Amino acid sequence: MNTIDTTTWERSSYDNWTSPSPTSLQMLVNLNHDYIVSDVEFSNYTLSSSVTTKAGDDDGIGVVFDYIDSNNYKYIMYEGGGLGGKPPVYLVAVENGVHTTLKTNDTFFFWGLNSTFDIELSNIFDDIVFYVNGMEALRYKKKDVLIGKIGFVTY
């Protein structure tokens, strides 16, 4: 298992992230679609993290993968229910800046405020599997196998 130093990661235009230690991240303010990605590229990996939510915001937290640049990447978002009408888990491809939903899971549960849960992304060859607390929340077969940066996304 490799541990990554998040203090060197690239922030989105909002620069809304702090790294209190090399292995932790904290979002400072609730903003629209804000991400942070690694400074190196990966292929065939598993990314896992524990997430703690706070009171007063239940929008979404997720993982970024296959990141090429700010206009080309994929992400899986796990919802807390704050954006009514959105499914609890969904996969989005961003191509040339356009966000397109590829797959959703409408039957998975929303996360709750003031909770801690584990998320995991398995990106092995063309198989994407996203887990929450060890339960499979979304599975997708990619058409391409990319080497890209990884990270986290919120809004």
Side-chain angles (χ1 to χ4, degrees):
M1 175 199 279
N2 293 332
T3 302
I4 301 171
D5 181 355
T6 60
T7 62
T8 60
W9 284 20
E10 175 184 335
R11 277 86 168 135
S12 64
S13 60
Y14 297 108
D15 203 21
N16 183 36
W17 298 86
T18 184
S19 300
S21 73
T23 60
S24 67
L25 293 170
Q26 182 179 3
M27 187 175 99
L28 302 174
V29 184
N30 183 25
L31 297 172
N32 290 328
H33 193 79
D34 200 29
Y35 62 82
I36 184 169
V37 293
S38 61
D39 54 346
V40 295
E41 296 180 331
F42 294 88
S43 66
N44 297 319
Y45 58 86
T46 298
L47 172 65
S48 58
S49 179
S50 290
V51 176
T52 301
T53 64
K54 301 293 184 187
D57 188 18
D58 61 352
D59 294 338
I61 180 74
V63 291
V64 173
F65 58 100
D66 292 355
Y67 182 95
I68 305 302
D69 59 37
S70 62
N71 289 310
N72 297 282
Y73 58 97
K74 294 178 185 72
Y75 64 92
I76 296 177
M77 190 68 74
Y78 180 37
E79 289 283 329
L83 292 179
K86 291 266 191 180
V89 181
Y90 53 95
L91 167 63
V92 175
V94 180
E95 293 179 3
N96 298 318
V98 177
H99 295 238
T100 303
T101 301
L102 300 178
K103 187 167 185 179
T104 65
N105 181 343
D106 294 325
T107 62
F108 207 73
F109 57 90
F110 292 101
W111 56 260
L113 294 175
N114 296 313
S115 61
T116 298
F117 51 87
D118 296 322
I119 59 174
E120 180 177 292
L121 172 71
S122 173
N123 187 355
I124 309 295
F125 297 108
D126 60 352
D127 287 321
I128 298 292
V129 187
F130 182 69
Y131 300 92
V132 176
N133 291 333
M135 294 181 293
E136 185 176 307
L138 189 135
R139 179 179 291 268
Y140 185 76
K141 180 78 86 180
K142 295 192 309 181
K143 295 177 184 162
D144 50 7
V145 179
L146 297 176
I147 296 174
K149 296 177 181 180
I150 59 174
F152 298 95
V153 62
T154 64
Y155 63 84

